[in-house]
Amino acid sequence: MTPMARQLSYPKEKIKILLLEGIHPAAGGVFQEAGYEAHPVRSAMSQEELREAIEHIHVLGIRSKTEVRQPVLESARRLLAIGCFCIGTDRVDLDAAASRGVPVFNAPFSNTRSVAELTMAEVVMLSRKAAYRSMQLHLGCWEKSASGSREVRHKTIGIVGYGHIGSQVGLLAESFGMRVVFYDIVNKLPLGNAKQLPTLRQLLKISDFVTLHVPESPETRNMIGRRELAAMRSGSFLLNLSRGSVVDIEALRDALAAGHLAGAAVDVYPHEPKSNEAEFRCALRGLENVILTPHIGGSTEEAQRSIGIEVAGALVKYMDTGSSGGAVNFPQVELPVVKNRHRVLNVHRNVPGVLGNINRIVAEMGGNISAQCLGTRRDIGYLIMDVDQLISREVKRKIDMLDTTIKTRLLF
Ligand code: NAI
């Protein structure tokens, strides 16, 4: 047991953890080390199946195929937390989960490096027309030529969105001897010799390679359209490993067909097939020097493993200490664990007077609060409070009776 770990008022062996969709076994290992037993299932569950199964589940782990919507949450009477063992959390109704006192955790950075590595590999492949030449060779055509094949050293890479992935791409590109410029709506500390530019237009004008690493948002929808493509240097390359909505695909096809762009690498699409069996339809199919990959930028074994460890770790920490750090739909509250204290965790409706009422309960019992931390997010408040061991059960019982309370747990 780690020094942070403590017992739950509810025995750990009775906590039911269901991990769907073949979540990496490393996650099970994290739970086991903390004294929990997880039940892994290879497949996803339909809404009906999950609705039935979830009734007795305390912790649910999903990937991208299982949806957790209102009807499922209504049956989830015992559910304490959800782990999305992936980056996105759009499969879960986050507000409905929060309103039931259920935090949702994900793994936002576990595959950052995987995306950055593929991006750089594709920069080189595009510059050498390597994917195209490989395809030709598979067809039996020996096309040995240096024409149009260039080193990436001393070329300029323009990174749009200098967040976790973008900044890693910048570091790798610099090791290749490239000049790195970036555009971001936020002022960022440039790593290495990278230079932030004030406008997207300036970046497009001077970059040999433009690589997109922005999130999906109303502002980034079609942020690379006809105008932006026309503003790019003639003979330059575009890479999109961010989200399909960021690029106007038809406009990109036209820019490539017209020879204005020398090539593109695309990993994400406005419409992606729902399964590996469905046909991939896209205006970019069949174009020369266009590398198409099926949304695999972040799909590596290392990333899957680190997602397993990261999300399971966050869930264990929440179960063991109440810490909600990293939850996407919940107030972020952490409090160091101290010995010989019982910990009360209370999720409540965020209305005035809750903390006063809770403190009054402890004061009226002549108890002592040794530490307390409260955070709010929208309609939800979350309190972690350490109290004397003798009064903790009674304090929990009384807090449970407040009409503002959504969920209360006791750790000791
Ligand atoms: P991040 O949140 O760390 O970085 C995004 C950056 O974009 C931030 O610095 C933000 O300020 C900036 N930004 C936001 N709106 C902008 C705008 N309108 N113009 C310029 N900059 C803007 O995100 P992270 O982790 O680096 O991910 C980036 C993208 O990569 C996301 O779209 C994500 O979905 C995608 N992704 C793709 C994967 C794949 O398999 N291809 C795997 C993982 C992530």
Side-chain angles (χ1 to χ4, degrees), residues 178-238:
M178 300 185 81
R179 267 190 303 269
V180 179
V181 294
F182 67 88
Y183 168 70
D184 200 294
I185 42 168
V186 175
N187 274 339
K188 296 275 178 152
L189 172 72
L191 301 180
N193 298 315
K195 187 172 171 220
Q196 183 157 14
L197 297 178
T199 65
L200 175 61
R201 214 165 175 80
Q202 285 186 31
L203 179 143
L204 298 175
K205 227 169 111 181
I206 64 165
S207 298
D208 300 297
F209 298 84
V210 174
T211 184
L212 308 173
H213 300 288
V214 289
E216 182 169 57
S217 72
E219 291 75 38
T220 62
R221 170 165 285 278
N222 284 338
M223 100 185 264
I224 302 294
R226 286 184 197 280
R227 252 182 346 155
E228 291 72 23
L229 291 163
M232 284 175 67
R233 296 183 66 172
S234 171
S236 60
F237 301 89
L238 179 75

Side-chain angles (χ1 to χ4, degrees), residues 17-20 23-24 26-31 34 36 38 59-63 81-89 92 103-111 302-320 323-328:
I17 300 173
L18 177 64
L19 302 180
L20 299 177
I23 285 166
H24 197 282
V30 172
F31 285 119
Y36 297 96
V59 177
L60 174 69
I62 60 163
R63 290 176 65 194
I82 298 173
C84 295
F85 286 74
C86 48
I87 313 298
T89 51
V92 180
V104 178
F105 297 89
N106 68 338
F109 321 123
S110 297
N111 59 9
E302 287 83 354
Q304 287 310 313
R305 186 182 152 75
S306 91
I307 285 171
I309 293 172
E310 192 178 327
V311 180
L315 290 166
V316 163
K317 200 166 172 204
Y318 179 69
M319 298 299 291
D320 280 358
S323 163
S324 58
V328 295

Side-chain angles (χ1 to χ4, degrees), residues 87 108-109 111-112 115 118 160-167 183-186 188 200 212-217 219-220 223 240-243 246 267-268 295-299:
I87 313 298
F109 321 123
N111 59 9
T112 298
V115 182
L118 185 62
V160 183
Y162 196 68
H164 292 96
I165 297 172
S167 56
Y183 168 70
D184 200 294
I185 42 168
V186 175
K188 296 275 178 152
L200 175 61
L212 308 173
H213 300 288
V214 289
E216 182 169 57
S217 72
E219 291 75 38
T220 62
M223 100 185 264
N240 184 18
L241 288 90
S242 62
R243 296 298 282 262
V246 177
D267 187 46
V268 287
H295 204 149
I296 51 160
S299 307

